[in-house]
Amino acid sequence: MGVRRAYPCPTVEDCDKWLRALSEALRGTTDEVERARIRADIDAVLERRLRLKVA
């Protein structure tokens, strides 16, 4: 897997905004390599969101 890009998520709401944007980007591309990168980014933001909710 490639390097994950950083998405600033100081709050759960910020993570939600990034998730919406990434989901839209995923719907807008058919390139499988880019789709894999976006899915990895979504996973990273979801992990961050979960850590914020648990903290």
Side-chain angles (χ1 to χ4, degrees):
M1 184 64 33
V3 175
R4 290 182 179 169
R5 294 171 272 204
Y7 294 94
C9 291
T11 67
V12 171
E13 292 78 17
D14 290 326
C15 289
D16 290 343
K17 290 176 188 174
W18 279 115
L19 288 171
R20 282 192 292 278
L22 288 165
S23 294
E24 186 65 32
L26 188 62
R27 282 190 291 274
T29 187
T30 57
D31 178 40
E32 286 304 314
V33 173
E34 184 61 19
R35 287 178 66 82
R37 286 186 186 128
I38 293 169
R39 283 192 297 268
D41 292 342
I42 288 171
D43 288 345
V45 173
L46 284 171
E47 288 173 20
R48 172 70 177 147
R49 187 179 187 280
L50 181 61
R51 283 192 206 107
L52 287 170
K53 284 193 76 121
V54 169

